[in-house]
C-alpha cells in the first residue's frame, strides 16, 4: 500500500505551526511521510539524504503533538531529532561509549610527540537541503517534470543569461523554432499550443526581444511544473504542453536580497518579513541594450547622410505579499508587469542642401500585466482549498510617425505629417477554486472549477493626417470579441495496490462567444505498473481542447502577433495523445533512466494561410479557421 502524499510547496502551502498532527500510513518511505508533516505543521525537515535511505514507516495517530509522532517513528531507529524554530533537524543518534579507566597517552612513534586532546571540539552537523521529489517510478504521470531555479541557472545559455524556456527546451521531445530564440515546439505542436502560467494564471506573451529571452525572472522562481505527455485534469486550453512557474514567498527569517549584473541585463531582488505573519518579495529585471547601442549608433550616424534611430529595452517587475491569518489559512497578493519597447527610424540630416527633410519613426511596445489574490485554507484534515481571483492584460502598441518638411517660394516651408497608431489587447478576469480531498490513504482527489471573462480587441487603428494647418483624423476598429469560459475538473490519484497506480480524471469546458456555445470534454487516464520497486511501466491517454489561437508572421515572437478566439462556424481545436514509457530509478547510484513514446493526432487545425490565399476575404477577420486534421508521433529518451 502507498501513502497519502501531499506535495504542497513551501511558499503556497497551507502549512502553519499547528500543534497536532493526524496521520495513518503503512510501510511507506520516511521521506514521503515527512511531506505530510510539512503540510500540517509548516515545519521543514532538514537531514542528509543518506540518513533515511531504505527507512520505511508505519504509524497511526490522531491529534497528537509533533514531538510524540516523531518519537514513535524514530524509536529504536538510531535517529534523533531537534526542533529549531521552523525546522526539524534530523541526524544520526550518538552511540554511548562504555566508560573505562583513563590510560596514559601513547606518544607518536614517528613525531615523538604526545597527542594533545585538551582542545578537541565537535562541530555541528552541516546539512545541505534539497527539495523532496518523488521519483518517476512512484507516480502514474508520463512526461512530467519539476524543475528548480538552481537547475535553470546551471544550464548554459546565450550571453550567460539563465532562461526558463531555454532550460525546458533541453528536455526530450521539444524543439526550438529559431536558433537561439526562446520559442518552444512540443511533440509536433505549434508555439501557441503551449500554455504558460505564472502562479496558476495564464499569460499570452512570455518572450522578450523577439523571443531571445523569456519573460520570467529566474532569480525569484521557486520551481516549475511542466507537463508534455499525460496531463493532470486541472489543465486544459492548449494542445501540446502546460508550464506553471511558481514564485518564491518572502523570507520569514530576515531581509535578504541579491543583485546581478549580466552582459545584457541586470536584476535586483529582495524579500523579508513584515511583522510576525507577513512577508514580502520584490524583483525587478531590466536590459540595457539601449545603453549598449549608444556608441554604435554614434559611429553609424557620424558617417551616413541619414541619422538612424534605434533603441530597445525590456523590463520585468514582480511583487508579492503573503500573510498567515491562522494555522489553517494563508493569503497572498501578487502583481507582475512585463514590458518591451523598441524604437527605430531615420532622419535626413542635410535639410539646407536638399531643400527637404523627412523624419520616419517607429515605436513598438508590448507586454503583460497581471494582478492576483489568493487564499489557501484547510477546511479539515482531509480537505484543503485554494481560491484565486486575477486580472491579466496582454497588450501591443504600434506607432508610425512620418513627417515631411520642404521649402517653397520665399524660403517658406510646408509640412506634411502622417501618424498611425494601432492597439491590440486581451483582457481576462479570472476566478477559480481548487480543492484537494483525502478520503483515505490510497486516494487523493483533486477537483475544482473556474470562470474567465475574455475581451479580445484584435486591432484599433488611429490615423491622423496633418498638412500645414489642416488636420484629418479617423479611427478604424475591429469588433471586440467578448467570451465567457467555464471550466470544471475532477481527478483521483489512486494506489490500487503496492505495484499498481492510476490517475483518472475528466476536464469539462464551455466557451460562449457571439451567441454560440462551444464545449469540450477532455478525459485523462494514466496507469503505472511496478513489477519491481525501482522499475515502472506506464501508459496514458489525454485529450485537450483549445479555443484561442495565435496568428504569427514568422518563428520570432513579435508585437504584430495576434490572438483570436474561435468564432463563426468553426469548432475548437482538439488533440488526442497516447503515451507509453518505461522507467528505472536507483537510489544507490543516483541514476534515473526513462524512455517515452507518444502518438498525437489533432482535429480542426488552424490553417489561415490556405483559406486566405484560396479565397481572399474583404476583411482579414473573415478568415479564421479551416477544418483539417494532422498528427505527429515520436520517441523520447
Amino acid at each position: 500500500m502507498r501513502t497519502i502524499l501531499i506535495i504542497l510547496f513551501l511558499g503556497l502551502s497551507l502549512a502553519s505551526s499547528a500543534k497536532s498532527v493526524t496521520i495513518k500510513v503503512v510501510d511507506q518511505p520516511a521521506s514521503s511521510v515527512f511531506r505530510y508533516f510539512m503540510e500540517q505543521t509548516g515545519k521543514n525537515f532538514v537531514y542528509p539524504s543518506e540518513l533515511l535511505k531504505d527507512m520505511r514507516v508505519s504509524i497511526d495517530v490522531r491529534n497528537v503533538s509533533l514531538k510524540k509522532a516523531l518519537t514513535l517513528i524514530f524509536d529504536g531507529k538510531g535517529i534523533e531529532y531537534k526542533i529549531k524554530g521552523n525546522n526539524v533537524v534530523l541526524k544520526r543518534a550518538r552511540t554511548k561509549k562504555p566508560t573505562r579507566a583513563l590510560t596514559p597517552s601513547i606518544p607518536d612513534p614517528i613525531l615523538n610527540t604526545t597527542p594533545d586532546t585538551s582542545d578537541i571540539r565537535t562541530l555541528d552537523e552541516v546539512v545541505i537541503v534539497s527539495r523532496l521529489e518523488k521519483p518517476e517510478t512512484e507516480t502514474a504521470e508520463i512526461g512530467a517534470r519539476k524543475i528548480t531555479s538552481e537547475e535553470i541557472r546551471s544550464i548554459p545559455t546565450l550571453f550567460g543569461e539563465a532562461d526558463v524556456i531555454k532550460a525546458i527546451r533541453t528536455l526530450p521531445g521539444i524543439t526550438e523554432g529559431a536558433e537561439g530564440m526562446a520559442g518552444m515546439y512540443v511533440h509536433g505542436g505549434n508555439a501557441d499550443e503551449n500554455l504558460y502560467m505564472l502562479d496558476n494564471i495564464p499569460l499570452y506573451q512570455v518572450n522578450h526581444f523577439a523571443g531571445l529571452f523569456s519573460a520570467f525572472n529566474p532569480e525569484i522562481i521557486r520551481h516549475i511544473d511542466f507537463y508534455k505527455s499525460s496531463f493532470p485534469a486541472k489543465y486544459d486550453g492548449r494542445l501540446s504542453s502546460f508550464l506553471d512557474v511558481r514564485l518564491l514567498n518572502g523570507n520569514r527569517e530576515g531581509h535578504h536580497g541579491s543583485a546581478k549584473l549580466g552582459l545584457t541585463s541586470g536584476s535586483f531582488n529582495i524579500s523579508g518579513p513584515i511583522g510576525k505573519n507577513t512577508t514580502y518579495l520584490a524583483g525587478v529585471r531590466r536590459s540595457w541594450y539601449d545603453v549598449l547601442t549608444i556608441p554604435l549608433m554614434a559611429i553609424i550616424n557620424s558617417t551616413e547622410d541619414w541619422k538612424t534611430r534605434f533603441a530597445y529595452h525590456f523590463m520585468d517587475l514582480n511583487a508579492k505579499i503573503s500573510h498567515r491569518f491562522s494555522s489553517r489559512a494563508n493569503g497572498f497578493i501578487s502583481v507582475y508587469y512585463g514590458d518591451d519597447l523598441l524604437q527605430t527610424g531615420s532622419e535626413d540630416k542635410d535639410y539646407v542642401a536638399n531643400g527637404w527633410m523627412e523624419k520616419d519613426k517607429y515605436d513598438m511596445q508590448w507586454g503583460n500585466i497581471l494582478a492576483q489574490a489568493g487564499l489557501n485554507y484547510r477546511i479539515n484534515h482531509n480537505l484543503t482549498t485554494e481560491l484565486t481571483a486575477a486580472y491579466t492584460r496582454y497588450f501591443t502598441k504600434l506607432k508610425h510617425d512620418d513627417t515631411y518638411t520642404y521649402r517653397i517660394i520665399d524660403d517658406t516651408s510646408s509640412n506634411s505629417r502622417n501618424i498611425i497608431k494601432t492597439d491590440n489587447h486581451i483582457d481576462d478576469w479570472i476566478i477559480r477554486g481548487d480543492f484537494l480531498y483525502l478520503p483515505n490513504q490510497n486516494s487523493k482527489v483533486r477537483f475544482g472549477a473556474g470562470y474567465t471573462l475574455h475581451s479580445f480587441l484584435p486591432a484599433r487603428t488611429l490615423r491622423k493626417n496633418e498638412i500645414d494647418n489642416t488636420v484629418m483624423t479617423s479611427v478604424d476598429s475591429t469588433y471586440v470579441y467578448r467570451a465567457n469560459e467555464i471550466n470544471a475538473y475532477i481527478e483521483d490519484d489512486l494506489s490500487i495496490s503496492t505495484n499498481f497506480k492510476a490517475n483518472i480524471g475528466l476536464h469539462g469546458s464551455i466557451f460562449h462567444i457571439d451567441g454560440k456555445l462551444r464545449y469540450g470534454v477532455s478525459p485523462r487516464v494514466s496507469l503505472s505498473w511496478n513489477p519491481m520497486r525501482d522499475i515502472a511501466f506506464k501508459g496514458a491517454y489525454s485529450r485537450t481542447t483549445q479555443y484561442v489561437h495565435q496568428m504569427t508572421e514568422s518563428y520570432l515572437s513579435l508585437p504584430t502577433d495576434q490572438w483570436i478566439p474561435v468564432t463563426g462556424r468553426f469548432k475548437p481545436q482538439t488533440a488526442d495523445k497516447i503515451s507509453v514509457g518505461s522507467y528505472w530509478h536507483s537510489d544507490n547510484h543516483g541514476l534515473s533512466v526513462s524512455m517515452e513514446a507518444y502518438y498525437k493526432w489533432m482535429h480542426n487545425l488552424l490553417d489561415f494561410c490556405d483559406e486566405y490565399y484560396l479565397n481572399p476575404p474583404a476583411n482579414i477577420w473573415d478568415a479564421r479557421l479551416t477544418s483539417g486534421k494532422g498528427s505527429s508521433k515520436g520517441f523520447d529518451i
Side-chain angles (χ1 to χ4, degrees):
M1 299 176 67
R2 295 295 184 191
T3 186
I4 303 173
L5 302 178
I6 300 183
I7 306 175
L8 295 178
F9 308 105
L10 299 179
L12 297 178
S13 69
L14 304 177
S16 65
S17 55
K19 296 182 179 180
S20 62
V21 294
T22 298
I23 183 172
K24 180 180 180 181
V25 295
V26 178
D27 191 29
Q28 299 306 313
S31 60
S32 300
V33 176
F34 292 148
R35 297 180 205 185
Y36 195 89
F37 286 143
M38 289 171 60
E39 191 275 333
Q40 293 192 51
T41 67
K43 303 293 185 183
N44 302 319
F45 284 77
V46 181
Y47 55 88
S49 58
E50 68 276 5
L51 181 65
L52 304 181
K53 181 180 176 182
D54 298 329
M55 177 180 174
R56 304 184 76 82
V57 174
S58 297
I59 185 172
D60 184 1
V61 295
R62 188 177 185 85
N63 295 326
V64 301
S65 66
L66 176 62
K67 289 184 177 180
K68 182 175 181 179
L70 294 177
T71 301
L72 291 174
I73 290 177
F74 295 127
D75 184 28
K77 298 292 194 304
I79 297 175
E80 63 182 27
Y81 69 90
K82 182 179 290 186
I83 300 177
K84 296 181 178 180
N86 203 41
N87 297 321
V88 179
V89 180
L90 310 180
K91 59 182 179 181
R92 188 75 61 187
R94 298 179 181 178
T95 57
K96 296 182 179 180
K97 297 181 179 180
T99 58
R100 58 181 180 178
L102 295 177
T103 57
S105 300
I106 300 176
D108 187 281
I110 299 178
L111 300 179
N112 194 26
T113 60
T114 300
D116 182 11
T117 60
S118 61
D119 195 29
I120 295 178
R121 301 179 182 179
T122 302
L123 297 177
D124 290 337
E125 185 176 7
V126 178
V127 180
I128 299 176
V129 182
S130 62
R131 282 187 69 245
L132 299 177
E133 295 294 344
K134 296 169 65 176
E136 292 176 316
T137 54
E138 295 185 14
T139 68
E141 298 169 335
I142 297 180
R145 282 291 306 273
K146 296 185 185 296
I147 302 176
T148 64
S149 58
E150 290 77 12
E151 292 179 80
I152 296 172
R153 290 193 289 266
S154 66
I155 297 176
T157 56
L158 186 65
F159 302 125
E161 301 280 355
D163 188 88
V164 171
I165 306 301
K166 293 178 183 177
I168 294 294
R169 274 197 341 225
T170 61
L171 301 177
I174 305 174
T175 60
E176 59 187 16
E179 186 67 30
M181 299 301 176
M184 188 171 71
Y185 299 82
V186 180
H187 288 174
N190 293 324
D192 67 334
E193 294 175 3
N194 307 304
L195 182 62
Y196 303 95
M197 293 168 283
L198 184 63
D199 281 338
N200 203 29
I201 302 300
L203 295 176
Y204 291 92
Q205 171 67 19
V206 295
N207 293 314
H208 291 307
F209 202 7
L212 191 61
F213 302 103
S214 68
F216 302 110
N217 184 351
E219 300 300 319
I220 58 175
I221 291 175
R222 180 156 50 99
H223 69 270
I224 297 171
D225 294 335
F226 180 67
Y227 303 90
K228 63 183 175 71
S229 293
S230 64
F231 305 126
K234 176 180 179 179
Y235 301 114
D236 204 18
R238 298 296 187 272
L239 304 183
S240 294
S241 71
F242 300 89
L243 186 151
D244 191 2
V245 177
R246 294 286 181 165
L247 298 182
L248 292 166
N249 270 352
N251 194 306
R252 293 185 178 274
E253 306 301 326
H255 301 277
H256 299 272
S258 65
K260 178 181 178 182
L261 299 178
L263 293 175
T264 58
S265 67
S267 64
F268 176 75
N269 314 286
I270 188 170
S271 68
I274 305 175
K276 183 179 180 180
N277 297 318
T278 307
T279 63
Y280 73 91
L281 170 72
V284 61
R285 179 177 64 156
R286 191 191 189 279
S287 69
W288 39 61
Y289 295 102
D290 49 346
V291 178
L292 297 176
T293 55
I294 291 177
L296 176 62
M297 299 312 300
I299 296 173
I300 294 175
N301 291 330
S302 65
T303 60
E304 298 291 337
D305 295 332
W306 288 78
K307 180 181 178 180
T308 303
R309 174 178 182 255
F310 179 83
Y312 170 79
H313 77 267
F314 69 78
M315 182 185 72
D316 295 318
L317 174 65
N318 294 86
K320 184 176 183 179
I321 295 178
S322 303
H323 180 76
R324 184 169 68 92
F325 295 100
S326 68
S327 62
R328 301 171 64 180
N330 292 276
F332 68 92
I333 299 175
S334 67
V335 295
Y336 165 75
Y337 176 73
D339 177 66
D340 289 66
L341 179 62
L342 174 63
Q343 298 175 323
T344 64
S346 60
E347 177 183 348
D348 181 25
K349 295 194 298 184
D350 199 351
Y351 171 70
V352 176
N354 298 332
W356 62 275
M357 181 183 67
E358 179 181 3
K359 291 183 180 179
D360 198 15
K361 298 191 299 183
Y362 291 88
D363 294 335
M364 303 181 185
Q365 184 181 13
W366 65 100
N368 286 288
I369 299 173
L370 184 152
Q372 69 167 316
L375 174 67
N376 299 308
Y377 184 71
R378 167 173 286 280
I379 301 173
N380 54 52
H381 70 277
N382 288 333
L383 182 63
T384 59
T385 181
E386 181 179 66
L387 306 176
T388 307
Y391 165 77
T392 68
R393 163 170 278 208
Y394 162 62
F395 65 90
T396 65
K397 298 179 180 180
L398 310 178
K399 180 181 178 181
H400 180 204
D401 189 342
D402 197 2
T403 303
Y404 294 88
T405 301
Y406 54 93
R407 289 198 304 265
I408 54 178
I409 301 175
D410 298 330
D411 288 334
T412 59
S413 63
S414 178
N415 298 315
S416 175
R417 185 181 184 187
N418 298 318
I419 300 176
I420 300 177
K421 295 181 179 179
T422 301
D423 295 330
N424 161 250
H425 60 79
I426 303 173
D427 296 283
D428 285 352
W429 295 89
I430 303 169
I431 56 173
R432 63 177 301 137
D434 299 290
F435 297 83
L436 175 63
Y437 174 58
L438 307 173
N440 55 62
Q441 63 186 30
N442 296 319
S443 178
K444 183 188 300 181
V445 180
R446 297 181 179 91
F447 62 95
Y451 168 76
T452 303
L453 174 62
H454 300 280
S455 178
F456 299 88
L457 177 63
R460 175 180 289 136
T461 302
L462 169 67
R463 293 180 173 86
K464 185 176 181 180
N465 300 321
E466 299 181 10
I467 301 177
D468 294 333
N469 296 324
T470 304
V471 179
M472 295 177 291
T473 303
S474 64
V475 178
D476 180 17
S477 179
T478 56
Y479 181 72
V480 176
Y481 295 89
R482 287 187 172 85
N484 299 279
E485 183 176 358
I486 299 175
N487 296 272
Y489 72 91
I490 185 171
E491 73 173 15
D492 194 355
D493 224 349
L494 293 167
S495 293
I496 300 174
S497 68
T498 305
N499 300 326
F500 193 70
K501 292 178 286 293
N503 182 286
I504 302 172
L506 181 68
H507 187 108
S509 58
I510 297 174
F511 194 80
H512 181 267
I513 187 171
D514 287 345
K516 294 184 178 181
L517 196 65
R518 295 163 178 81
Y519 64 91
V521 178
S522 304
R524 316 281 169 80
V525 58
S526 300
L527 305 174
S528 176
W529 175 55
N530 295 79
M532 300 175 61
R533 180 179 175 185
D534 297 331
I535 296 177
F537 297 96
K538 302 182 184 182
Y541 165 77
S542 297
R543 164 166 281 207
T544 48
T545 306
Q546 184 167 340
Y547 296 100
V548 295
H549 301 279
Q550 187 180 36
M551 298 174 60
T552 62
E553 298 179 351
S554 68
Y555 284 111
L556 302 179
S557 177
L558 301 173
T560 55
D561 299 342
Q562 296 179 334
W563 288 86
I564 60 172
V566 176
T567 59
R569 62 183 178 85
F570 300 104
K571 299 179 180 179
Q573 187 175 349
T574 60
D576 297 275
K577 181 181 289 188
I578 294 177
S579 307
V580 295
S582 59
Y583 306 84
W584 175 69
H585 175 80
S586 173
D587 289 325
N588 295 330
H589 301 89
L591 180 66
S592 295
V593 177
S594 64
M595 293 185 292
E596 300 169 5
Y598 68 89
Y599 185 81
K600 171 185 174 184
W601 64 98
M602 295 165 282
H603 311 273
N604 304 317
L605 293 177
L606 180 66
D607 196 2
F608 171 78
C609 294
D610 289 346
E611 176 76 6
Y612 182 79
Y613 286 112
L614 293 177
N615 185 21
N619 186 316
I620 191 171
W621 293 102
D622 291 338
R624 301 183 184 91
L625 297 175
T626 60
S627 179
K629 294 184 178 181
S631 64
S632 61
K633 56 185 177 180
F635 189 75
D636 301 341
I637 299 178

